[in-house]
Amino acid sequence: MRIDIITVLPELLKSPFEASILKRAIDKGLVEVHLHNLRDYSTMNHKQVDDYQFGGGAGMVLMIEPIHRCIQKLQAERTYDEIIYMTPDGKRFDQRDANKLSLKGNILMLCGHYKGIDQRVRDHFVTMELSIGDYVLSGGELAAAVVSDAIIRLLPGVLNDETSALTDSFQDDLLAPPVYTRPADYNGWTVPEVLLSGHFPKIEAWREEQAILRTKERRPDLLDD
Ligand code: 6GU
């Protein structure tokens, strides 16, 4: 898989891909992540990429021209399965979206800034619009990092048995059950006996029960369907 990200703040997006699981996935050649600085595609003085909005009103808008030039350059090199605009008014990203996107070959993400981007970019280039939740971020960069992480960890070979995605919260519409590690008794705070029993069917039944209890208590909306 290959992920291209167009942004006015590439520095903000670097570090998530330079540590831990995402770095390992890139080093292993399981995914390529390429950041593109929108300013490099400006043809204007001072590499300007934004302008005042027609009709007046506060806030700058990213212009169509540099975005179009960047998209055209990238599309000349490969075809994209999705061109995703990261925006708080997009579809709320969930695990199902992550699962679907992890099956794609090439994804292009576009990070909004200021008041957003010229609507014509959305009308003519964008194939999907995603938000990561009902709050407003300064730009789409952190959201693009979140979506990339959720996708990349699902790629075959990225996780091992210890970090398997199969037992994640949401993968079966349930939250994950509680987990414990040594010591079995810390200051008199003990670990549930069943986990020390070595009886795997019982342990699995306990985990399932705990997952359902936790979901009922914290996220009853997940049990609705
Ligand atoms: Cl994708 N962008 C911005 N700017 N804010 C957000 C978001 C995206 N998702 C939630 N809030």
Side-chain angles (χ1 to χ4, degrees):
M1 158 174 275
R2 174 177 169 125
I3 300 175
D4 288 274
I5 306 177
I6 302 175
T7 169
V8 290
L9 283 172
E11 327 83 77
L12 187 54
L13 261 165
K14 277 204 184 106
S15 69
F17 301 105
E18 287 172 351
S20 187
I21 288 174
L22 300 192
K23 174 171 167 40
R24 192 142 33 88
I26 291 166
D27 290 348
K28 278 197 199 166
L30 300 170
V31 63
E32 286 181 40
V33 178
H34 297 267
L35 306 179
H36 306 277
N37 191 339
L38 189 61
R39 293 196 190 283
D40 295 342
Y41 297 86
S42 172
T43 55
M44 298 176 73
N45 289 337
H46 315 294
K47 301 189 175 181
Q48 188 183 338
V49 292
D50 57 351
D51 209 340
Y52 300 100
Q53 54 182 311
F54 281 129
M60 306 295 276
V61 174
L62 289 179
M63 294 185 291
I64 189 169
E65 196 201 10
I67 296 173
H68 186 200
R69 282 163 47 87
C70 185
I71 290 176
Q72 263 186 329
K73 188 227 174 205
L74 293 172
Q75 279 182 325
E77 296 163 354
R78 69 197 63 76
T79 54
Y80 288 93
D81 299 294
E82 298 288 353
I83 299 181
I84 305 172
Y85 175 45
M86 301 306 304
T87 175
D89 60 5
K91 189 241 171 223
R92 181 133 37 110
F93 180 69
D94 61 19
Q95 188 64 47
R96 204 188 313 258
D97 299 315
N99 293 350
K100 277 193 216 150
L101 288 171
S102 74
L103 302 172
K104 308 278 188 187
N106 298 315
I107 292 174
L108 178 55
M109 286 195 226
L110 185 51
C111 301
H113 243 268
Y114 319 111
K115 278 289 145 194
I117 60 176
D118 191 298
Q119 180 61 36
R120 291 168 291 186
V121 173
R122 302 172 72 163
D123 293 342
H124 299 288
F125 304 125
V126 168
T127 62
M128 180 184 276
E129 301 192 326
L130 293 177
S131 158
I132 61 164
D134 293 342
Y135 40 82
V136 176
L137 304 170
S138 314
E141 283 77 14
L142 298 178
V146 165
V147 169
S148 298
D149 183 306
I151 294 170
I152 292 169
R153 62 192 297 286
L154 296 174
L155 300 176
V158 172
L159 300 185
N160 50 37
D161 275 356
E162 268 86 285
T163 52
S164 169
L166 294 175
T167 53
D168 286 345
S169 284
F170 305 111
Q171 236 7 316
D172 51 7
D173 280 321
L174 289 178
L175 301 182
V179 293
Y180 299 87
T181 187
R182 292 188 294 176
D185 184 330
Y186 186 76
N187 281 346
W189 300 323
T190 55
V191 165
E193 197 108 16
V194 61
L195 296 178
L196 310 175
S197 70
H199 190 294
F200 290 107
K202 264 194 205 158
I203 291 171
E204 278 310 292
W206 180 85
R207 286 181 172 152
E208 172 84 9
E209 174 193 286
Q210 291 296 312
I212 293 167
L213 272 176
R214 195 171 258 201
T215 309
K216 273 187 186 149
E217 200 167 287
R218 299 178 178 206
R219 292 294 307 277
D221 58 295
L222 293 176
L223 298 167
D224 284 351
D225 49 54

